[in-house]
Amino acid sequence: ISPRSIVQDACASYATLEKLNERVKPAIDDLTRTTDFFSHYRLNLFHKKCPFWDDENGICGNIGCAVETLDDENDVPEVWRAKTLGKLEGPLAKHPGKQEQRNNPRRPLHGELGENIGESCVVEYDDECDERDYCVLEDESATSKGDYVSLLRNPERFTGYAGDGAKQVWDAIYRENCFKKSSFSHAANLGTPFSKSPAAQDFKQVMDAAGRQAQLQLQRAQRPNTPFVANTGYEIEDECLEKRVFYRVVSGMHASISAHLCWDFLNQTTGLWQPNLQCYKDRLHGYSDRISNLYLNYALLTRAVAKLGPLLRGPEYRFCTGDLSEDMATRAKVNEVTTQAASIPQIFDESLMFVNGEGPSLKEDFRNRFRNISRLMDCVGCDKCRLWGKIQTNGYGTALKVLFEFDNNSKNIPVLKRTELVALFNTYARLSSSMAAIGRFRQMVAAEDEAE
Ligand code: FAD
C-alpha cells in the first residue's frame, strides 16, 4: 500500500464530512441561534486571574505581552479599534446565587437577557466538578456563579486582538502544554506536503475506522521489525497516537478561530464586515495540516454528539423547565442535530486510544494538560476572544469526556451540566461554520486562479 492510498482514504473522509456538514449546518445553526438554552452561556469572564503570568490590567502585566493591535489604530474610528471590537455587547444577566436557588430552585432568573428571552430557561443550579472533566468548569471555585452572555450578540469574529499578547497565549498553549518534544511542532511542520506528512497517516488511523485493519497491515508492512503495540500505545514514528491527537485538537481549534476571523473580518478602510481572502491564504490555505486538524475536530465532535444522542432523549435532560413547549421545541432541535451526526458511519474511532500499556496514566496526563489549556483562557486579553476561547475549550473538553469517560453500557453515566452541553453544541456549530467558510474560500481562490 503506497502513501498515495492513505491520502485517498483521507480525502474520502473529507468528502464524507463535507457532505455531512451540508445537513448538520442548518440543524446546528437553528439550535444555537433560535433557542434560549443554547444561545446563552454562563461564565466568569472578568474575575479570574491568569494563573500563569501576571495579568494585571486585564492583560499580562509585563510590557512584552501588552496587546498590540493594528499599527495604525489611531487612524481608524474608535468603534473599529481592537479594544472596542473585543468588548462584549448586550446586557449581562447575573446568576441568582446559591441562597436564592436553595430557597426556590424553580425561581426564574432575574436580569435582562435580551428581548423575548424566557428567563426560566437559563436558570442553572449549582454543580460540582468531577475528576472526569477535561476542563476547569467555570464555576469551580467562584462563589459568585458568573454572568450569562448572549452568544448571538457576541459572535466570534475579527477583533483585532493580535501581537505579543495573543502570541504569548498561543505559545503557552503549544509549548508549555504540549507533551514532550513533538514532531508536530507548528514551526517544523510548515510546508510539508500533506501526502508525506505524519498528519496524513494520523488522519487515516484515527478517522477511518472502517480501514483500521488495513492500516494495521500497512504498519506491519512498512516496519516489519517494529512491534506494532508499544508501551505508549499506538506508536507512529516517535510519537504515540494520543499525543498527536492532543496537539491536533489544539491546532484544529486554532484553525477554526482563524477561519472565523478571516471570514467575518472588518475592512478598516471601508468599515464593512466581509471575508478577507488574503487572511485565509496567510493562515490556512497553504497549511493542509491545519485544515486536516480542523476536520479531525469536526469528526471528533460529530462522534461525541452522535454518542450523546440517545442519552439526551432521557429524562435527565430538560432544556427549559417550566415551559413545556419551549422544552419540546429545543429537544426536537437537539434530536435533529444528534440524528444527523449519527447518520454517517463512525469516522473517529476513540476505541484506538488509551488502550495499551500506560494508557490509563496517559489519559490522566491528557486530561490534565487539557485542563491547563482551559485555564490559559483566563490569560486572553480580549473579552470576546476569551468568551469564545472558553466556550470552545469547554466544548472540546466535553467531547473528550463523552468519548473517553462515558461507557454507554454502564449504569453510572454522568449527566452533563448545562454549560457543558451549551459549549459542546456551540463548538460543533463553530466547526461547522469553519468548514463552510473554508469551502467558500477555496472557491474564491479557484475563481481567482481561473481569472489569471
Ligand atoms: P496566530 O494565529 O497568533 O498564530 C501564531 C503562530 O502559531 C503562527 O505564526 C503559526 O506559526 C502558528 N499557527 C497558526 N495557526 C496554527 C494552527 N492552526 N495550527 C498550528 N500552528 C498554527 N482574534 C480575533 O480576531 N478574533 C477572535 O475571536 C480571536 N480569538 C482568539 C482566541 C484565543 C484563545 C487566542 C489565543 C487568540 C484569539 N485571537 C482572536 C487572536 C488570533 O488567534 C491571532 O492570534 C491573531 O489574529 C494574530 O495572528 P497571527 O497571524 O499573528 O498568528
Side-chain angles (χ1 to χ4, degrees):
I1 305 172
S2 72
R4 198 173 140 71
S5 64
I6 298 172
V7 178
Q8 278 165 355
D9 280 333
C11 288
S13 299
Y14 274 29
T16 307
L17 294 175
E18 282 163 5
K19 274 247 152 310
L20 172 69
N21 199 37
E22 286 169 18
R23 302 193 302 274
V24 163
K25 190 163 186 308
I28 191 79
D29 284 351
D30 187 36
L31 178 70
T32 51
R33 289 180 190 168
T34 66
T35 65
D36 293 345
F37 188 98
F38 285 97
S39 62
H40 290 85
Y41 191 64
R42 193 197 70 193
L43 79 171
N44 187 344
L45 198 59
F46 301 107
H47 308 296
K48 282 189 174 176
K49 274 181 84 90
C50 167
F52 298 99
W53 55 81
D54 183 7
D55 73 335
E56 270 178 28
N57 307 320
I59 53 169
C60 62
N62 88 57
I63 191 76
C65 52
V67 177
E68 263 176 39
T69 53
L70 302 163
D71 290 346
D72 55 354
E73 268 273 90
N74 290 333
D75 298 338
V76 300
E78 177 73 37
V79 288
W80 298 345
R81 292 185 193 168
K83 219 172 157 194
T84 314
L85 291 174
K87 270 195 189 139
L88 289 190
E89 282 169 24
L92 298 179
K94 287 271 173 236
H95 189 273
K98 281 184 184 172
Q99 196 53 46
E100 272 179 274
Q101 284 183 33
R102 241 177 255 123
N103 293 345
N104 186 355
R106 296 251 160 151
R107 185 178 180 279
L109 174 69
H110 284 283
E112 287 176 86
L113 284 170
E115 283 167 32
N116 304 323
I117 300 298
E119 293 177 340
S120 61
C121 305
V122 290
V123 171
E124 193 157 15
Y125 307 115
D126 290 351
D127 35 34
E128 301 298 326
C129 183
D130 83 31
E131 73 281 359
R132 287 172 290 209
D133 292 333
Y134 281 69
C135 68
V136 180
L137 293 179
E138 276 308 319
D139 47 356
E140 201 174 27
S141 59
T143 41
S144 137
K145 306 291 283 185
D147 299 310
Y148 286 99
V149 178
S150 160
L151 302 180
L152 299 179
R153 303 273 302 258
N154 296 285
E156 187 191 28
R157 62 183 183 182
F158 173 77
T159 61
Y161 176 51
D164 291 340
K167 188 173 180 320
Q168 180 166 14
V169 178
W170 283 124
D171 279 356
I173 289 173
Y174 284 112
R175 204 176 44 231
E176 291 170 33
N177 284 283
C178 275
F179 293 82
K180 67 177 170 65
K181 187 174 85 59
S182 167
S183 57
F184 271 91
S185 135
H186 49 289
N189 205 29
L190 299 186
T192 312
F194 182 63
S195 59
K196 300 219 168 65
S197 73
Q201 295 187 29
D202 264 0
F203 196 90
K204 165 75 177 155
Q205 283 155 16
V206 189
M207 297 179 69
D208 187 4
R212 193 166 147 200
Q213 207 49 40
Q215 185 59 27
L216 301 185
Q217 286 163 6
L218 168 71
Q219 284 272 317
R220 290 197 188 101
Q222 285 179 334
R223 296 190 297 162
N225 299 325
T226 313
F228 170 65
V229 177
N231 277 345
T232 48
Y234 194 0
E235 293 279 347
I236 309 153
E237 295 179 357
D238 56 355
E239 286 283 14
C240 70
L241 182 64
E242 289 82 358
K243 295 174 185 177
R244 288 186 174 192
V245 169
F246 183 89
Y247 167 80
R248 299 192 61 199
V249 169
V250 173
S251 167
M253 178 176 89
H254 193 167
S256 178
I257 291 172
S258 301
H260 284 120
L261 76 90
C262 295
W263 184 254
D264 217 347
F265 193 89
L266 179 68
N267 179 332
Q268 300 206 325
T269 314
T270 62
L272 294 175
W273 288 92
Q274 55 193 192
N276 181 334
L277 188 58
Q278 192 54 47
C279 171
Y280 163 75
K281 285 183 185 167
D282 291 344
R283 295 165 194 249
L284 295 167
H285 192 62
Y287 301 96
S288 52
D289 55 322
R290 295 179 189 175
I291 307 249
S292 159
N293 296 341
L294 191 150
Y295 276 61
L296 178 104
N297 283 2
Y298 186 84
L300 189 149
L301 262 80
T302 296
R303 171 74 187 127
V305 166
K307 187 173 171 186
L308 204 54
L311 297 175
L312 292 179
R313 280 169 220 133
E316 298 84 5
Y317 288 97
R318 284 177 299 170
F319 297 102
C320 179
T321 51
D323 183 337
L324 197 60
S325 64
E326 172 118 20
D327 190 4
M328 281 168 64
T330 306
R331 192 177 285 275
K333 290 175 188 199
V334 169
N335 207 8
E336 175 60 17
V337 174
T338 57
T339 305
Q340 289 300 348
S343 69
I344 55 162
Q346 184 183 337
I347 285 189
F348 185 95
D349 186 359
E350 73 274 14
S351 71
L352 287 174
M353 291 177 66
F354 307 119
V355 282
N356 295 310
E358 58 169 345
S361 65
L362 205 56
K363 190 167 167 185
E364 203 181 322
D365 204 8
F366 194 101
R367 195 165 39 213
N368 287 336
R369 286 167 192 281
F370 209 85
R371 283 186 187 208
N372 265 356
I373 289 186
S374 83
R375 287 192 182 97
L376 266 165
M377 293 304 125
D378 282 311
C379 307
V380 173
C382 144
D383 297 348
K384 266 185 205 154
C385 312
R386 188 158 66 252
L387 166 68
W388 283 102
K390 280 177 173 243
I391 292 174
Q392 288 173 86
T393 44
N394 190 357
Y396 290 115
T398 304
L400 295 170
K401 181 168 158 182
V402 171
L403 291 183
F404 299 120
E405 311 298 330
F406 280 33
D407 173 1
N408 278 1
N409 299 319
S410 154
K411 286 201 173 125
N412 179 25
I413 303 176
V415 176
L416 291 179
K417 295 157 191 96
R418 204 194 83 90
T419 46
E420 292 176 304
L421 275 186
V422 177
L424 176 69
F425 281 91
N426 273 282
T427 304
Y428 197 32
R430 295 286 73 212
L431 284 164
S432 169
S433 313
S434 303
M435 282 185 38
I438 286 171
R440 298 281 302 281
F441 272 131
R442 278 191 187 130
Q443 288 169 355
M444 288 159 78
V445 172
E448 227 183 40
D449 289 349
E450 239 170 63
E452 276 173 11

